Amino acid sequence: MLATATLLVISACSTDTAPSGPTRVVGQWDMSARNGTVKDRSGSADLALTGGWSDVQGAVGRGVRFEYAGGPSFGTSGDDLAGSGDGNAPFAVAAYLKSDTVPVTSRYTPNIAQQGRFNGPTQWKMELWSRPSGALARCRFKGATAHHTVVEDPPTAIDDGHWHEIVCWRSRTSYGITVDGASTSTTGTVGAIDFNQPLLVANRTKSSGVGDQFQGTLDCLAYAQGVADPRALVRSQVPC
């Protein structure tokens, strides 16, 4: 769990290089659950659901509602989303969701989606951040050389009972967050990120606390890699 969030700008100087190759969707989940599984429509990383989730009406078709009912509810993939396998690959992850009200306390930073853990070697993470004016969205990027968190600015209250589109993305020379079409970004790089890790959605583990629990409905999740603006590609996929 992140205790603070700060928008940091770092130098664009880096020895990391972006890969070549086409931009493509390497994972897409419409959150239509069948027997506790959400199929990956673009790959093999199906999500296995556990805990207090339920099949509900989404913005388009069906969605999955997650809640903390005496324990966490979440989805985890049994496969990786490596795509190109290059840790410096430009990538983007988009989610379409409707959040419950997030309690105003630093102990609540609901997880939406992530690869890697906070204390692990690398991580990307999409989460909410509780504020008196309403929960904000933020994206954390932890690579081999640095870690930074980008917070939406100007702020949009995500936990207002409406549907929102959130995108975490990294290009060759910058990274940032896009909320309902408005982007906040910073120039630079954090180094290579290990994409050969399971995708975690809505929480982390069976022992995770309520402060990490996304409580609300997730309708769609899409993930893309490639040099030709993966952010635009995943935005074209949601809702799904």
Side-chain angles (χ1 to χ4, degrees):
M1 183 185 304
L2 295 177
T4 60
T6 305
L7 179 62
L8 298 174
V9 179
I10 63 177
S11 170
C13 298
S14 173
T15 59
D16 294 318
T17 58
S20 60
T23 298
R24 63 191 182 95
V25 175
V26 295
Q28 185 171 12
W29 304 264
D30 63 5
M31 304 313 291
S32 297
R34 298 290 185 275
N35 299 317
T37 299
V38 176
K39 290 292 186 181
D40 179 1
R41 291 167 47 180
S42 297
S44 59
D46 297 345
L47 293 176
L49 304 177
T50 189
W53 63 274
S54 54
D55 173 40
V56 298
Q57 178 64 44
V60 177
R62 306 303 295 175
V64 172
R65 173 172 172 78
F66 295 94
E67 58 185 312
Y68 196 90
S73 59
F74 61 97
T76 182
S77 70
D79 201 348
D80 64 74
L81 302 176
S84 70
D86 188 323
N88 295 296
F91 73 96
V93 182
Y96 205 69
L97 59 88
K98 182 167 62 173
S99 173
D100 294 357
T101 299
V102 179
V104 183
T105 168
S106 61
R107 295 190 301 274
Y108 278 82
T109 52
N111 298 346
I112 300 169
Q114 67 191 78
Q115 277 187 295
R117 303 290 179 83
F118 178 79
N119 293 322
T122 71
Q123 180 191 51
W124 67 258
K125 182 179 183 180
M126 179 190 296
E127 68 178 0
L128 301 182
W129 179 33
S130 63
R131 302 290 291 168
S133 58
L136 307 184
R138 64 185 186 184
C139 300
R140 183 179 191 250
F141 304 87
K142 181 182 182 182
T145 58
H147 59 91
H148 295 292
T149 301
V150 184
V151 184
E152 55 166 321
D153 184 31
T156 300
I158 301 300
D159 58 341
D160 60 356
H162 298 291
W163 290 98
H164 294 280
E165 175 199 270
I166 304 172
V167 186
C168 294
W169 54 270
R170 181 179 70 177
S171 69
R172 298 187 193 204
T173 59
S174 62
Y175 51 90
I177 185 170
T178 300
V179 178
D180 297 336
S183 294
T184 304
S185 64
T186 186
T187 302
T189 181
V190 296
I193 296 175
D194 180 10
F195 296 114
N196 294 289
Q197 303 182 72
L199 174 69
L200 301 171
V201 176
N203 211 318
R204 301 176 302 162
T205 68
K206 293 181 179 180
S207 60
S208 297
V210 65
D212 282 325
Q213 180 68 57
F214 169 68
Q215 302 197 89
T217 301
L218 185 62
D219 180 274
C220 182
L221 195 68
Y223 175 99
Q225 275 189 2
V227 296
D229 199 359
R231 173 178 34 161
L233 180 56
V234 293
R235 290 199 65 209
S236 72
Q237 302 299 306
V238 296
C240 56

